[in-house]
Amino acid sequence: MYLSRKEEKMYSGEYGEPIRKAMEILVAIGDTYDAENLIEVKKAHVAGLSYKTHGDAGLEYIKILNKENASVCIPTTLNVIGVDRFRWEKLGLPEDWAGKQLQILKAYEKMGCIGSCSCTPYYHGVLPRFGEHIAWAESSAVVFSNSIIGARDNREGGPSALSAALTGRTPFYGYHLEENRLGNYLIKIDEKLEDVHDFGALGSYLGRLIGDKVPVFQGLEKSASLENFVALGAGLASSGSTAMYHAVGITPEAATLENAFGGEKPMETIDIGEKEMENARQSLTSASDGDVEFVSLGCPHCSLQQIKQIAALLSGKKVHKDVRLWIYTSIPIRALAEKLGYVGSIEKAGGTVTGDMCTVLGCPEALRFKTMATNSAKMAFYAPASNKLDVWYGSTEECIDATVRRRWEA
Ligand code: F3S
């Protein structure tokens, strides 16, 4: 791979050991994907910070980087961690686990990363611009940046995003190249999709069919909310390895069908009607009796609007005494929701609005819940294996209903 003179010096260690290690990782990735050179990136988002994924070895590695005075050189946000830094004790999460998790967070913050700890950094103002090259990890955020914003981003892992944050560079391959951003599959929607659970289910259903290809949606409503498009991307990226989609007349690189496919014909057309949507929704439920002990909402992390909706749905109701309702969002969005009274309403009903964390990357299994209800296709996809939970999948309204009754009544 071609390296500029400055990059050669970074690679040979003249800029210090952390930069040398980061360059070694980036060049190895570039060689694997036949990248001809590195390109500059303007923002990074580092994921893989949960103690569940980091482990003790990862914690040691980050501490070594601290000792070597590693420091990020571009605006770098952090993804979700495994606990809420202010509420882990109240939530009953184990002390040793939380302690290690907070050491990991501190070590990244010491490198200059912004500890906003969310998979939806775009809800609190961290936005790349159209056409900007970035190195964001977190698969749902990658789909958002490529599809909704039109930024140029690959599905980075934690180490590659951190390497980009330390050097300001990433290998020039994949979705940084215009030719790889064109659509492959045409998806014709002949069904009205109502909310995040419909959009998430559609994404999850298609992710299984199309793998890493780029779907082009025709027939999605322009008026669908931003949260619905976020859920679509998260579903696609969890069951498949999709990094972007187009929605004709909606997303910025798909003003027309011809734009989305670059004038080529689709590889295949997939029709989505009532039967497919029913399959899509049902395949995300793994529970069989009606019991619900845990209800978790906010995967990807909730927007302000979603917290407002939950507060309104809980109005005049009480969370069942044997049910935990945890809502996930970022600290900035939580602070705003608190100011506006939504957090107070939810707490009055018996729910908890958390910051920093989520079910999948946290350790709710320490509390021995068996059955969870959620409106998130991504959480429903991962939680059975990641958290040993049986899942009821449904709309936000159905989840709130289960919170009150402690039963799933589909
Ligand atoms: Fe975010 Fe955790 Fe879901 S990182 S997308 S809330 S699995």
Side-chain angles (χ1 to χ4, degrees), residues 81-299:
I81 55 173
V83 296
D84 177 322
R85 76 189 84 174
F86 302 117
R87 292 170 199 82
W88 61 267
E89 241 177 320
K90 208 171 145 202
L91 295 172
L93 298 173
E95 188 174 354
D96 55 338
W97 211 95
K100 296 254 175 82
Q101 178 62 80
L102 295 177
Q103 283 181 45
I104 293 170
L105 173 59
K106 216 166 152 191
Y108 277 93
E109 287 182 334
K110 203 168 169 191
M111 284 190 267
C113 299
I114 303 161
S116 46
C117 298
S118 177
C119 47
T120 56
Y122 41 86
Y123 283 153
H124 48 272
V126 185
L127 278 175
R129 62 173 171 73
F130 180 85
E132 193 168 75
H133 294 280
I134 61 171
W136 275 15
E138 166 46 39
S139 62
S140 68
V142 173
V143 181
F144 183 92
S145 69
N146 275 320
S147 315
I148 306 294
I149 301 175
R152 274 51 177 155
D153 189 19
N154 282 328
R155 277 175 63 116
E156 300 292 349
S160 65
L162 179 60
S163 300
L166 294 170
T167 61
R169 283 160 176 76
T170 197
F172 194 29
Y173 76 101
Y175 294 90
H176 292 284
L177 299 166
E178 295 300 316
E179 63 265 30
N180 295 330
R181 301 179 64 82
L182 296 173
N184 306 118
Y185 282 84
L186 176 59
I187 316 293
K188 287 189 171 171
I189 310 293
D190 186 23
E191 175 74 351
K192 186 160 171 40
L193 308 183
E194 300 285 351
D195 70 355
V196 288
H197 102 288
D198 281 338
F199 278 76
L202 171 65
S204 188
Y205 176 81
L206 287 170
R208 280 177 260 239
L209 297 179
I210 67 171
D212 65 353
K213 296 290 183 279
V214 178
V216 177
F217 292 95
Q218 196 177 39
L220 284 180
E221 288 193 39
K222 277 191 183 173
S223 57
S225 69
L226 186 63
E227 290 83 354
N228 287 345
F229 285 105
V230 169
L232 174 66
L236 276 165
S238 50
S239 65
S241 45
T242 311
M244 75 177 290
Y245 65 84
H246 299 288
V248 177
I250 301 172
T251 55
E253 290 165 80
T256 63
L257 201 59
E258 289 68 36
N259 285 155
F261 285 104
E264 300 292 321
K265 284 210 170 354
M267 278 169 59
E268 204 183 309
T269 299
I270 299 175
D271 293 299
I272 300 290
E274 194 184 337
K275 190 175 88 202
E276 288 76 18
M277 282 308 301
E278 201 45 44
N279 276 343
R281 284 185 289 259
Q282 278 179 8
S283 67
L284 289 162
T285 284
S286 55
S288 51
D289 69 21
D291 232 32
V292 176
E293 301 165 296
F294 179 38
V295 178
S296 67
L297 304 171
C299 168

Side-chain angles (χ1 to χ4, degrees), residues 294-310:
F294 179 38
V295 178
S296 67
L297 304 171
C299 168
H301 270 180
C302 280
S303 68
L304 189 65
Q305 193 56 32
Q306 286 173 305
I307 298 177
K308 182 181 179 185
Q309 184 199 8
I310 294 165

Side-chain angles (χ1 to χ4, degrees), residues 79-80 119 138 140 298-301 358 360-361 378:
N79 204 48
V80 165
C119 47
E138 166 46 39
S140 68
C299 168
H301 270 180
C358 77
V360 175
L361 297 172
K378 178 169 178 175

